[in-house]
Amino acid sequence: MKFDNIVIGGGMAGLSAALRLVEAGQKTLLMASGQSALHFSSGSVDLLESEGDPRAALPAFMAAHPDHPYSKVGMQNIEASLADLQRHCAEQGLPLVRHETNHQRLTPIGTLKRTWLSPDTCACVTDAPIPQSLLLATLEGFRDFHPALAAANLATHPRFAHCRILTGEIRLPQLAEFSRNPHEFRSADIARLCDKHHLVADLASEISRMVQESGVPDCRHIVLPACLSLGLVGPRLAELEQCTGCTIKEVATMPPSLIGMRMQEALKRRFMALGGTFLTSERVLGARYEGDRVVGVHTQNGDDQLFEADNFVLASGSFFSRGLESRLRGIREPIFDADVLSLEERDAWAGRRLFDHHPFMGFGVKTDDQLRVLRDGKPLANLYGAGSVLANYDPIKEGSGSGVAVATGWQAAGHILGAAQ
Ligand SMILES: Cc1cc2nc3c(=O)[nH]c(=O)nc-3n(C[C@H](O)[C@H](O)[C@H](O)COP(=O)(O)OP(=O)(O)OC[C@H]3O[C@@H](n4cnc5c(N)ncnc54)[C@H](O)[C@@H]3O)c2cc1C
């Protein structure tokens, strides 16, 4: 089976590369062994932790970190990659908003986290005035969002000093079926139920009841956990807003995170609509080489079949997605046995305390300036690396997680197309 390109990995990096390739008319196969980090992520795209405009901070950051993946992509391409992501998501009815500075998204525990792009349904703090009152509500029995905890944390934020933060609980008899087994009472279960039955009228009357019982008649801003639809939630929230006269936004729940899953599905749909082939539950095990080129990869379910292509993108993620493996003797990239950046002394891999800096976060696959993967010190001519499998970036410390994934995926595709600047 021969393709122009094979992309290994169905997360943000793989999808970003695959979309650019397929849009350029290339016959592209994307293979993913399982879920990606998007299933656990907020669905917001972090570019760089910075109080102001992260784009203004990036040139100095890149100058200070010449081996960082951003430095191999460049400012212009980083911006173009994010604009493309916005365009693809908008095409699928999932608009991503951004401002001239980082905005802050509300986390499930009520803290505020700086980020660059967020789905327009997310509860975010921008430069706009904070309302006088805010109601954080959950669904009775749901364990993955606790309004009281979120409200207590949010109340400590100076911008919310004047805001009355209320909490509430939506009671839906339809949810009783989940109370038999708390393991079934997850965001995806509730969303499935909401998608099956039209619960907008019930939800609206519960929201109106909570507002009335709060005793704050002008309470018109509601935040709900993201569990009202597996698919595009915008129209459902708009309907609820119309019924209640309230502004209704979502907060990502503890994993699984529907906001991230919706983005994954939207990008996958877009890729397939453009003619791409998506093979899921397909683990790539190894490759065949001719000189410095990869000619094909073989997979767990493919028996002896070789999936051949002119170019390959390795976007298999970090330890979390098994794109990197930690073994007793060191760190390993399991498909190509690519060169990895690591530390020999195992004790130096992690900081002592949980919130210390952990050097292992920066471990990963080495690439040259064109993102070509190194093996035995030399670049493989047609294998490009992208996303969190790469060395020299720490998504948590830098607040750069999905930004790097999108930018490097897009740039890897650009090199394949000969379009990288
Ligand atoms: C739990 C969690 C939450 C995060 N939340 C955020 C957030 O809110 N915002 C943000 O900006 N960043 C976040 N990040 C950072 C994250 O690293 C990036 O956002 C980005 O999503 C990484 O994308 P990726 O495509 O490189 O890797 P992943 O999303 O990990 O995807 C890797 C893909 O490769 C596949 N794969 C692995 N091995 C194989 C194989 N052998 N064969 C075939 N397929 C394979 C996996 O199944 C998966 O589809 C989070 C990270 C984690 C771990």
Side-chain angles (χ1 to χ4, degrees):
M1 213 177 284
K2 178 90 199 274
F3 292 86
D4 293 329
N5 311 288
I6 293 179
V7 176
I8 303 165
M12 208 56 146
L15 283 161
S16 173
L19 278 165
R20 190 171 183 196
L21 291 167
V22 80
E23 208 170 30
Q26 299 253 314
K27 188 178 169 195
T28 302
L29 168 67
L30 190 153
M31 288 171 157
S33 55
Q35 295 176 340
S36 73
L38 276 171
H39 288 245
F40 303 84
S41 111
S42 64
S44 292
V45 177
D46 302 345
L47 178 54
L48 188 72
E49 170 68 31
S50 141
E51 234 177 75
D53 183 348
R55 295 167 303 179
L58 268 169
F61 176 84
M62 290 192 277
H65 303 89
D67 292 330
H68 193 280
Y70 275 152
S71 306
K72 297 180 183 179
V73 176
M75 195 62 217
Q76 214 179 328
N77 293 325
I78 295 171
E79 291 202 58
S81 69
L82 292 165
D84 252 6
L85 176 75
Q86 280 186 281
R87 180 171 59 81
H88 290 304
C89 285
E91 285 283 344
Q92 291 299 315
L94 190 83
L96 302 177
V97 290
R98 72 163 179 81
H99 302 267
E100 293 309 308
T101 58
N102 271 330
H103 58 272
Q104 292 178 294
R105 66 172 173 85
L106 181 66
T107 72
I109 57 166
T111 53
L112 297 176
K113 166 97 178 55
R114 285 198 191 92
T115 190
W116 181 240
L117 296 174
S118 292
D120 69 342
T121 53
C122 286
C124 290
V125 173
T126 63
D127 290 341
I130 303 290
Q132 293 297 317
S133 59
L134 182 67
L135 174 62
L136 306 182
T138 189
L139 291 107
E140 191 181 32
F142 181 53
R143 293 169 182 226
D144 293 336
F145 176 60
H146 298 277
L149 170 70
N153 281 330
L154 193 57
T156 63
H157 196 279
R159 285 205 58 199
F160 284 79
H162 69 281
C163 177
R164 194 147 166 216
I165 305 172
L166 308 157
T167 59
E169 214 171 47
I170 292 173
R171 298 178 207 129
L172 289 181
Q174 294 90 333
L175 297 181
E177 66 175 87
F178 298 135
S179 57
R180 278 175 291 130
N181 181 353
H183 298 294
E184 288 172 359
F185 210 145
R186 313 304 297 267
S187 50
D189 302 309
I190 300 170
R192 217 167 280 124
L193 189 93
C194 291
D195 286 339
K196 196 163 151 209
H197 308 287
H198 197 69
L199 299 181
V200 168
D202 304 77
L203 285 163
S205 87
E206 276 295 288
I207 290 169
S208 303
R209 175 190 60 75
M210 286 188 302
V211 168
Q212 203 175 11
E213 287 178 5
S214 76
V216 182
D218 65 342
C219 179
R220 287 280 167 261
H221 297 276
I222 317 289
V223 174
L224 300 177
C227 59
L228 297 191
S229 177
L230 286 175
L232 299 175
V233 79
R236 187 155 299 160
L237 293 184
E239 214 181 326
L240 266 180
E241 289 183 338
Q242 208 178 9
C243 294
T244 58
C246 296
T247 303
I248 300 175
K249 295 288 179 193
E250 288 187 311
V251 61
T253 64
M254 296 296 178
S257 166
L258 291 197
I259 305 184
M261 287 162 69
R262 288 179 200 138
M263 186 180 282
Q264 164 112 26
E265 280 308 305
L267 294 174
K268 180 178 161 186
R269 272 199 313 274
R270 175 88 175 133
F271 171 65
M272 291 170 73
L274 289 167
T277 308
F278 197 107
L279 263 187
T280 194
S281 304
E282 194 63 283
R283 176 167 291 280
V284 177
L285 297 179
R288 188 182 295 167
Y289 305 88
E290 270 173 20
D292 66 349
R293 295 183 73 80
V294 178
V295 290
V297 291
H298 54 89
T299 65
Q300 202 160 30
N301 303 320
D303 299 323
D304 293 335
Q305 187 173 353
L306 192 69
F307 291 87
E308 292 175 79
D310 294 331
N311 289 288
F312 296 80
V313 178
L314 175 66
S316 50
S318 186
F319 302 100
F320 185 78
S321 293
R322 296 176 56 195
L324 298 173
E325 288 178 357
S326 168
R327 297 279 177 86
L328 203 58
R329 275 198 242 130
I331 304 297
R332 190 170 164 265
E333 184 286 304
I335 302 172
F336 301 97
D337 204 12
D339 295 352
V340 290
L341 178 81
S342 170
L343 290 172
E344 215 148 277
E345 187 54 54
R346 207 185 164 102
D347 279 352
W349 287 9
R352 288 194 165 273
R353 287 184 299 256
L354 184 64
F355 293 108
D356 284 352
H357 168 55
H358 299 297
F360 76 84
M361 292 296 296
F363 293 176
V365 165
K366 293 184 189 173
T367 58
D368 68 3
D369 284 349
Q370 291 177 50
L371 295 173
R372 287 180 306 184
V373 169
L374 302 189
R375 193 165 178 256
D376 299 327
K378 294 192 210 95
L380 284 160
N382 62 342
L383 175 65
Y384 297 83
S388 55
V389 74
L390 296 176
N392 288 309
Y393 95 104
D394 181 338
I396 293 181
K397 190 171 136 213
E398 298 159 5
S400 62
S402 290
V404 167
V406 172
T408 51
W410 193 88
Q411 182 75 345
H415 284 300
I416 290 172
L417 298 171
Q421 289 145 14

